[in-house]
Amino acid sequence: MTKTAESVWSDCLSFIQDNIQPQAYKTWFEPIKAVKLTDNALSIQVPSKFFYEWLEEHYVKVLKVALTKELGENARLVYIIKMENTYGNKQPFTEKIPSSNRSNVKAQEVDVPLKNKSPELKNPFVIPGIRNVKIESQLNPSYNFENFLEGDANRLARSAGLAVANKPGGTSFNPLLIFGGVGLGKTHLAHAIGVEIKDKYPEKTVLYISAEKFTQQYIESVKKNNRNDFIHFYQIVDVLIIDDVQFLSGKTGTQDVFFHIFNHLHQNGKQVILTSDKAPVDMQDIEQRLLSRFKWGLSAELQKPDFETRVSILRNMLYRDGVEMPDDIVEYVAKNIKTNVRELEGAIISLIAQSSFNKKEVTLDLAKQIVEKFVKNTKREVSIDYIQKVVSDYFQMDVATLQSKTRKRHIVQARQLAMFFAKKFTKASLASIGSQIGKRDHATVLHACKTVDNLTATDKQFRKYVEDLSKKLSL
Ligand code: ADP
Ligand code: MG
């Protein structure tokens, strides 16, 4: 029987299903469609870039094993990413667009050479105490210095990054902490440093990990009783990059273990690179001794890029993807999307996609429509302070009252609602929410969230509160 994309994928799926949690299977594998099979490359369509990144981060191993079983050692996987639906167009952005527009598709196809990934070690616990084991650095080579465009807003961070890359562990920038708001390039720059080090010093062990994954691994190691192996694993790297350390807030166990790893690396002249969405002074629920370590090196901020830099970033993207676009349009997009590079990229991709679906020329009018919809559709990040303010205003009390220790019913309810929305709209941990809303503990926040859920289901008046507040907070 000849193999088809569907048959190969369906065989892969049965293998994957046997090897991962049912919920994970449902969430991450059921929505995938097999699209094409050529030689040893299977193309699958995934709903979004995020989806692709998630698969790559969490399931690359099982995918590799499954695919190799089906297609042999040289198996390759090509992701085709459906356009993210930011402007109400239901059609997928796949290869099916007219061939004259083919060049536009490039950016959406991600070809993953599974082969290079396999021989390296992914799981920190496989180390049998041998030193010359190869550690997979988890770096994304497409995040490099070359395509990290320079501007006033990132000059310090970028140059510090380059300095560190030239002499890892040998500058006073240790640790190097890169901080700044969402979508301003922290992850990109962190990878770029790692990629550059690997390039200059191939023998050095570089490891990139998100603070979230680091935490998961740590918890896992405690469960499995191999906390020492975990620590040992991290202590043998030459360059440790931890992304989004704000995630460690409130997690004392993980902070503790990180503190020991950090000290060990630092004492041995190894480089540590961290990113965070806040400056050390603004970090909540991070132990003092850890914060003081962060301040040993350099904290460099990534700020919002200025207009010129935004234009260069867009031009660079278009150039890379081989798409031509008139200057006035590029400038229009750059002028109107100011706060976040990721949104800037999203808008231009939408624009390219929109014009290729409808075979429309990219006009200023089209750009206006898209930018408008795009900006409207983007969720604003809300802070816990802002949530407390909106909830207090709604119930006509001040924030201090909302946070107070009183047990008066309407105040308790307001406080619980603030906790509930903080959980829903921010990435803060239960502990951190509790400490910011009247110094409560995580159990109180958990209880608040459950109470709000229950009351929403049973009490009509209460449901109205939730609806009104949801509207106010997502405006
Ligand atoms: P953060 O980690 O700060 O949320 P990312 O590193 O994920 O942000 O960046 C968001 C997107 O913006 C990425 O696709 C990244 O490549 C791009 N980007 C950010 N800054 C720059 C820059 N200076 N030059 C080119 N691309 C950039
Ligand atoms: Mg990031």
Side-chain angles (χ1 to χ4, degrees):
M1 202 187 88
T2 48
K3 287 185 170 172
T4 63
E6 284 80 18
S7 74
V8 168
W9 183 237
S10 134
D11 289 344
C12 287
L13 282 180
S14 1
F15 175 81
I16 293 167
Q17 195 166 17
D18 286 342
N19 282 285
I20 69 171
Q21 297 292 326
Q23 187 57 45
Y25 178 80
K26 209 168 147 42
T27 311
W28 300 107
F29 289 91
E30 280 186 0
I32 298 177
K33 274 199 211 88
V35 180
K36 195 170 77 183
L37 182 69
T38 39
D39 301 331
N40 49 14
L42 176 71
S43 303
I44 57 173
Q45 187 188 55
V46 298
S48 66
K49 177 147 176 271
F50 172 74
F51 211 96
Y52 146 71
E53 288 169 353
W54 189 271
L55 289 171
E56 273 295 283
E57 184 155 335
H58 297 86
Y59 300 110
V60 72
K61 222 176 184 168
V62 70
L63 275 166
K64 187 204 142 49
V65 176
L67 211 65
T68 313
K69 270 164 53 112
E70 294 306 310
L71 300 175
E73 268 307 298
N74 295 320
R76 283 189 314 130
L77 189 60
V78 177
Y79 293 91
I80 296 174
I81 300 170
K82 262 203 219 172
M83 198 54 216
E84 251 142 303
N85 186 15
T86 44
Y87 40 83
N89 193 324
K90 291 274 182 303
Q91 261 177 289
F93 182 52
T94 66
E95 289 202 310
K96 287 195 196 81
I97 61 178
S99 58
S100 59
N101 285 320
R102 273 281 158 97
S103 64
N104 296 343
V105 192
K106 256 193 337 210
Q108 300 302 314
E109 269 194 40
V110 189
D111 193 340
V112 181
L114 289 163
K115 216 177 159 206
N116 299 339
K117 294 216 163 177
S118 59
E120 302 187 15
L121 178 71
K122 193 146 198 180
N123 180 345
F125 307 123
V126 192
I127 316 186
I130 314 169
R131 270 203 148 256
N132 61 357
V133 68
K134 205 166 172 204
I135 294 176
E136 184 185 322
S137 53
Q138 318 277 348
L139 291 166
N140 179 349
S142 57
Y143 283 157
N144 50 43
F145 272 108
E146 206 181 316
N147 61 19
F148 189 77
L149 298 181
E150 184 172 345
D152 286 344
N154 63 30
R155 189 157 292 123
L156 172 68
R158 194 177 186 281
S159 339
L162 269 172
V164 164
N166 284 326
K167 251 177 128 189
T171 68
S172 51
F173 308 152
N174 198 13
L176 173 63
L177 173 72
I178 301 160
F179 70 95
V182 205
L184 293 181
K186 300 181 294 293
T187 298
H188 186 141
L189 184 54
H191 277 276
I193 300 170
V195 168
E196 186 77 13
I197 294 177
K198 267 310 231 191
D199 200 42
K200 286 209 164 74
Y201 306 94
E203 76 290 353
K204 284 207 192 291
T205 321
V206 179
L207 184 64
Y208 167 91
I209 184 133
S210 67
E212 182 168 10
K213 207 159 166 197
F214 180 84
T215 306
Q216 285 166 6
Q217 287 181 352
Y218 172 65
I219 294 171
E220 198 63 11
S221 81
V222 172
K223 262 196 226 144
K224 295 201 177 128
N225 230 337
N226 50 13
R227 183 173 180 272
N228 286 341
D229 292 348
F230 173 88
I231 295 174
H232 176 67
F233 175 82
Y234 281 96
Q235 286 180 340
I236 63 173
V237 304
D238 297 312
V239 178
L240 178 61
I241 305 172
I242 301 198
D243 202 0
D244 290 321
V245 290
Q246 77 276 359
F247 186 83
L248 300 182
S249 68
K251 303 191 173 64
T252 45
T254 316
Q255 286 180 35
D256 198 49
V257 77
F258 176 60
F259 180 74
H260 290 293
I261 292 168
F262 177 90
N263 285 338
H264 181 94
L265 292 175
H266 198 269
Q267 272 160 22
N268 288 287
K270 307 299 165 90
Q271 179 71 46
V272 178
I273 296 153
L274 308 166
T275 81
S276 162
D277 67 355
K278 290 182 201 66
V281 284
D282 298 323
M283 286 185 202
Q284 303 252 0
D285 298 308
I286 300 270
E287 285 176 50
Q288 209 47 50
R289 55 178 187 167
L290 207 51
L291 284 181
S292 90
R293 293 297 188 275
F294 291 174
K295 292 174 196 157
W296 279 1
L298 175 74
S299 303
E301 183 170 12
L302 287 177
Q303 289 167 330
K304 292 173 191 152
D306 56 22
F307 175 71
E308 277 72 35
T309 315
R310 298 201 295 277
V311 171
S312 331
I313 291 175
L314 289 179
R315 292 233 165 90
N316 190 51
M317 270 190 74
L318 292 167
Y319 175 77
R320 203 180 55 205
D321 296 344
V323 177
E324 278 183 33
M325 199 169 287
D327 282 352
D328 56 337
I329 292 176
V330 174
E331 281 164 20
Y332 179 82
V333 175
K335 200 167 278 164
N336 287 280
I337 300 185
K338 300 178 210 165
T339 50
N340 177 323
V341 182
R342 192 175 296 135
E343 283 174 14
L344 201 61
E345 293 183 344
I348 213 85
I349 293 174
S350 301
L351 196 55
I352 298 171
Q354 182 74 324
S355 80
S356 30
F357 283 142
N358 304 339
K359 300 200 191 79
K360 273 193 211 157
E361 227 182 287
V362 184
T363 59
L364 198 54
D365 250 7
L366 185 62
K368 278 185 185 153
Q369 280 171 32
I370 282 172
V371 166
E372 193 180 291
K373 281 185 189 150
F374 198 86
V375 172
K376 242 194 267 164
N377 273 329
T378 347
K379 261 225 185 89
R380 193 161 39 89
E381 289 272 310
V382 293
S383 68
I384 295 181
D385 284 346
Y386 179 75
I387 291 171
Q388 296 189 74
K389 173 118 192 22
V390 170
V391 174
S392 324
D393 282 355
Y394 180 78
F395 290 110
Q396 292 165 352
M397 59 179 77
D398 48 38
V399 176
T401 311
L402 179 132
Q403 293 184 341
S404 69
K405 300 278 176 223
T406 175
R407 305 190 60 87
K408 280 189 191 135
R409 198 175 117 92
H410 73 286
I411 299 175
V412 173
Q413 278 193 350
R415 192 159 56 231
Q416 289 178 328
L417 280 161
M419 291 174 173
F420 169 82
F421 283 112
K423 184 71 203 141
K424 186 164 167 190
F425 287 134
T426 74
K427 290 187 200 127
S429 66
L430 293 172
S432 153
I433 293 171
S435 85
Q436 292 179 66
I437 305 185
K439 302 221 173 351
R440 304 306 207 276
D441 63 11
H442 82 282
T444 309
V445 181
L446 194 60
H447 176 72
C449 295
K450 286 192 186 138
T451 308
V452 171
D453 273 338
N454 287 339
L455 286 176
T456 314
T458 53
D459 179 336
K460 220 168 142 195
Q461 176 61 53
F462 194 84
R463 183 155 60 236
K464 173 99 170 49
Y465 295 157
V466 174
E467 281 163 6
D468 287 351
L469 285 165
S470 289
K471 258 185 230 142
K472 283 186 195 297
L473 287 166
S474 48
L475 276 185

